[in-house]
Amino acid sequence: MEWLERMNRVLDYIEDHLEEKMDYKKIAQIACCSEYHFSRMFSSIIGISLSEYIRRRRLTLAAFEIQKSNHRITDIAMKYGYDSVDSFTRAFKKTHGLTPTAAREKGTSLKAFPKISFQISIKGDTEMEYRIENVDFELRIVGKGKTVKTSRAFKTIPTLWSTARKDGLMDKLIDMSWENPKCMLESLLGVCGKEAAITDEHFTYFMGVRYDGESPEDLETLIIPKSTWAVFPNIPEAWKRLYSEWVPTSGYELADLPCIECYYPPKHKPGHELWVPIIPKK
């Protein structure tokens, strides 16, 4: 399938450039999605971050080269992207449990992390719950946007919500959202950028709620046009299975709008949902 072909082209690209500075924007372009979304998708499906996978592959090849050749440790470190022998030694020891010099001794046991490949997993015992929501009006979302570095978004966003809880923004949004519910999107909303294709080094992560009243002076307003959404309970599980199981076989593709993470009030079932903008596949 087209999705699998794109993902495996990404892995081929990574493998061909392990001895160079990795171009994360190029990786996202090959995958036909934003840098942020691909990084998130990869982490959800594989269980480790994209950067960690690349690090492990480089250290695997470095270990092979150390054992098979007489090349200097310094040259091998530089070849696989390390600025100094010290930083290479720390990373190597963390992965393999011993120093590069010790790895040259005969009979030494090392760890190899092979190249992965994407495949569709056909499972009959685990269904994937979802529903289709047609929102035939503009979504007016009021809140605050924060600038996020794309490559660190996966770690930065939880910190933004933690800060919002401490500085009172979260309570203010809750009061605006839940006192007068108007639609299924009545929850705390995390909107990633303004378009699906986040190709810049930074983007705006918008924390807000759907609100039709007069916007407070200290908050911003974001308008999302009417669209059709695939809605999945359990955000972490949804991210993990969305690209590998649902999208390839659904007959839909992602629309050029941001995904929205919805965090509902206490005792709401489910507690959170992922809203994914979709259009019929051409």
Side-chain angles (χ1 to χ4, degrees):
M1 289 186 178
E2 183 181 353
W3 179 86
L4 290 177
E5 291 175 357
R6 289 200 303 265
M7 295 302 103
N8 285 311
R9 282 201 297 270
V10 165
L11 294 172
D12 289 340
Y13 175 85
I14 291 172
E15 205 69 15
D16 291 341
H17 294 80
L18 288 173
E19 298 178 16
E20 307 168 17
K21 183 177 180 180
M22 199 61 63
D23 188 341
Y24 288 92
K25 287 185 179 180
K26 178 65 176 179
I27 289 174
Q29 289 172 359
I30 296 172
C32 296
C33 65
S34 72
E35 184 179 343
Y36 169 71
H37 282 143
F38 181 78
S39 177
R40 215 167 162 171
M41 172 189 67
F42 189 95
S43 298
S44 297
I45 295 173
I46 305 303
I48 59 174
S49 68
L50 177 59
S51 60
E52 176 63 14
Y53 170 72
I54 293 171
R55 187 185 75 86
R56 290 183 183 184
R57 286 297 298 140
R58 283 172 168 162
L59 289 171
T60 293
L61 297 185
F64 288 153
E65 190 162 341
I66 285 171
Q67 290 194 316
K68 293 191 301 181
S69 74
N70 293 320
H71 296 161
R72 296 190 310 161
I73 300 295
T74 300
D75 294 337
I76 295 174
M78 296 293 290
K79 179 178 180 179
Y80 290 102
Y82 290 87
D83 295 331
S84 69
V85 173
D86 286 343
S87 61
F88 176 67
T89 299
R90 286 193 298 271
F92 193 94
K93 190 172 183 179
K94 181 180 178 181
T95 298
H96 295 287
L98 72 172
T99 65
T101 301
R104 282 207 149 129
E105 298 178 7
K106 291 184 178 180
T108 299
S109 178
L110 296 171
K111 297 176 182 178
F113 296 91
K115 175 190 173 186
I116 63 174
S117 64
F118 284 98
Q119 300 177 5
I120 293 180
S121 178
I122 307 300
K123 300 177 181 179
D125 61 340
T126 306
E127 71 278 3
M128 190 170 185
E129 183 181 346
Y130 75 96
R131 71 179 189 274
I132 302 297
E133 290 276 355
N134 292 301
V135 180
D136 59 358
F137 53 88
E138 288 185 338
L139 294 174
R140 184 173 181 271
I141 301 174
V142 174
K144 283 189 177 181
K146 300 290 184 179
T147 300
V148 173
K149 187 174 182 180
T150 304
S151 61
R152 294 188 56 83
F154 194 67
K155 294 182 178 180
T156 302
I157 289 173
T159 302
L160 295 180
W161 282 114
S162 179
T163 300
R165 182 181 294 109
K166 294 175 182 178
D167 65 16
L169 173 61
M170 185 177 291
D171 286 339
K172 185 171 185 176
L173 294 175
I174 289 172
D175 288 342
M176 294 170 63
S177 175
W178 296 339
E179 286 184 356
N180 187 22
K182 296 180 179 67
C183 75
M184 290 295 294
L185 272 165
E186 286 309 315
S187 62
L188 291 172
L189 307 177
V191 183
C192 302
K194 294 184 178 180
E195 297 179 352
I198 303 174
T199 57
D200 295 330
E201 292 186 5
H202 297 83
F203 71 93
T204 299
Y205 181 77
F206 197 88
M207 297 178 291
V209 292
R210 181 177 178 270
Y211 187 68
D212 290 334
E214 184 176 349
S215 177
E217 293 183 358
D218 59 336
L219 298 181
E220 310 160 45
T221 299
L222 176 65
I223 303 295
I224 296 181
K226 60 184 180 180
S227 183
T228 300
W229 306 79
V231 184
F232 304 87
N234 190 336
I235 291 172
E237 182 70 10
W239 277 120
K240 182 176 181 180
R241 301 178 65 189
L242 175 67
Y243 296 95
S244 62
E245 298 180 41
W246 194 83
V247 171
T249 58
S250 66
Y252 292 99
E253 58 187 28
L254 301 186
D256 195 19
L257 292 171
C259 292
I260 302 177
E261 295 180 335
C262 303
Y263 299 95
Y264 293 110
K267 298 182 180 181
H268 186 284
K269 299 293 183 180
H272 39 79
E273 293 181 323
L274 178 66
W275 286 57
V276 180
I278 55 173
I279 56 175
K281 189 172 292 184
K282 298 179 180 179

